[in-house]
């Protein structure tokens, strides 16, 4: 009873928190807490087979598989919550209520002592008693359940599989597409220049300078442009003059740069 009064509040709190957490990984970890606590209760009730199955199969295999899938694939927080099947929430609520009533009836029968024969069934051992009942009286239901699980796994693979309608693009195809985009829309062939290129610092609000000294708008985030926090042209005057001097371009109000002789050329 001590283990129950300690673990029961933990299980209830973890199960309730699953309904309110925002991240799927946190929900999976809370579900693992519920499963491990349930396994401990099985051990306290002298059901070693259910204890081992709960730890090895549910917590160790299925739950960890959920976590691996969530971590590898990820979950988009912007997924649509629109029902694809009409009335599925009402149906889920009805079946949830029926399951709760069934659990209450089972707990009430066990608490009131109306369930008899457990001691006789476990007289030769809990694992031996479960094996005797499972593979004798309920062998047909056991085989049908295993076939149903295999069919469900195959159905999930078929539903998740997507046929590729077009061949996978190669590196040459991607390069040709970038050239077409450049010819049609003027999209840059390579990656966008980083903030602060050809400037005195690499602040995110400093646009890159082209070889002629003019700022490059695509080098600054559109969010900063919308907020109006990008450095203006007067702030870039010193940088523009420096770039123009390095390229031999005369600044505004100055004459043409002196021509270099062959001796002065490197």
């Amino acid at each position: 009873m001590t283990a129950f009064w300690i673990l029961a509040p933990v299980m209830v709190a973890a199960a309730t928190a699953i309904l309110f957490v925002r991240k799927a990984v946190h929900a999976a970890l809370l579900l693992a807490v519920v499963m491990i606590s349930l396994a401990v209760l099985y051990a306290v009730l002298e059901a070693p087979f259910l204890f081992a199955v709960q730890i090895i199969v549910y917590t160790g295999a299925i739950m960890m598989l959920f976590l691996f899938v969530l971590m590898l694939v990820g979950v988009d927080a912007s997924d649509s919550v629109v029902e694809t099947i009409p009335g599925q929430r009402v149906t889920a609520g009805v079946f949830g209520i029926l399951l709760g009533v069934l659990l209450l009836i089972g707990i009430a029968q066990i608490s009131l002592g109306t369930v008899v024969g457990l001691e006789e069934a476990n007289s030769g051992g809990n694992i031996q008693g479960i094996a005797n009942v499972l593979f004798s009286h309920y062998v047909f239901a056991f085989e049908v359940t295993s076939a149903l699980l295999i069919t469900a796994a195959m159905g999930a693979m078929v539903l998740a599989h997507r046929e590729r309608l077009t061949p996978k693009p190669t590196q040459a195809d991607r390069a040709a597409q970038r050239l077409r985009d450049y010819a049609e829309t003027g999209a840059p062939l390579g990656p966008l220049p980083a903030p602060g290129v050809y400037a005195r610092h690499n602040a995110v609000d400093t646009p890159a300078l082209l070889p002629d000294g003019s700022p490059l708008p695509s080098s600054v985030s559109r969010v900063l442009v919308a907020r109006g926090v990008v450095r203006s042209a007067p702030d870039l005057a010193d940088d523009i003059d420096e770039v123009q001097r390095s390229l031999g371009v005369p600044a505004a109000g100055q004459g043409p740069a002196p021509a270099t002789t062959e001796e002065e050329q490197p």
Side-chain angles (χ1 to χ4, degrees):
M1 290 297 293
T2 304
F4 173 79
W5 290 112
I6 294 176
L7 295 177
V10 175
M11 295 173 63
V12 173
T16 306
I18 294 175
L19 305 176
F20 299 99
V21 294
R22 300 177 62 89
K23 295 185 178 181
V25 175
H26 295 169
L29 292 175
L30 290 172
L31 184 58
V33 172
V34 176
M35 290 184 175
I36 294 175
S37 301
L38 185 61
V40 175
L41 292 181
Y42 285 148
V44 174
L45 294 175
E46 298 180 357
F49 177 77
L50 294 179
F51 166 76
V53 169
Q54 186 72 26
I55 291 292
I56 298 174
V57 178
Y58 288 97
T59 307
I62 298 177
M63 204 61 249
M64 293 302 105
L65 178 62
F66 287 168
L67 286 176
F68 289 155
V69 171
L70 290 175
M71 292 179 180
L72 292 176
V73 178
V75 177
D76 188 3
S78 61
D79 289 341
S80 176
V81 295
V82 179
E83 295 185 12
T84 56
I85 302 177
Q88 62 180 357
R89 294 189 180 184
V90 177
T91 305
V94 172
F95 279 104
I97 294 174
L98 292 177
L99 178 61
V101 172
L102 180 62
L103 292 176
L104 290 176
I105 293 175
I107 294 173
Q109 289 181 347
I110 294 175
S111 301
L112 298 176
T114 56
V115 178
V116 295
L118 291 179
E119 296 181 358
E120 296 178 0
N122 294 328
S123 58
N126 177 259
I127 299 177
Q128 291 80 356
I130 292 178
N132 183 29
V133 175
L134 188 62
F135 294 103
S136 60
H137 298 85
Y138 300 101
V139 62
F140 180 74
F142 178 78
E143 296 296 337
V144 170
T145 303
S146 61
L148 179 62
L149 292 175
I150 295 176
T151 305
M154 295 298 295
M157 294 175 60
V158 172
L159 293 176
H161 178 70
R162 295 182 180 180
E163 292 289 345
R164 182 179 292 275
L165 302 179
T166 57
K168 185 177 181 180
T170 61
Q171 186 175 2
D173 297 333
R174 295 191 181 97
Q177 182 62 41
R178 286 197 296 268
L179 290 175
R180 287 192 295 267
D181 294 340
Y182 175 75
E184 296 173 358
T185 63
L189 293 175
L192 295 178
V197 177
Y198 299 124
R200 294 183 176 179
H201 52 78
N202 58 351
V204 294
D205 63 342
T206 304
L209 298 180
L210 295 173
D212 60 353
S214 60
L216 180 60
S218 60
S219 64
V220 186
S221 173
R222 292 178 296 176
V223 177
L224 299 179
V225 176
R227 293 178 178 176
V229 297
V230 180
R231 294 183 65 193
S232 60
D235 297 334
L236 298 173
D238 296 338
D239 299 332
I240 294 175
D241 293 341
E242 182 179 351
V243 172
Q244 290 178 342
R245 285 195 301 269
S246 64
L247 296 175
V249 179
Q254 297 180 0
T260 58
T261 61
E262 294 182 358
E263 297 179 355
E264 295 176 351
Q265 293 181 355

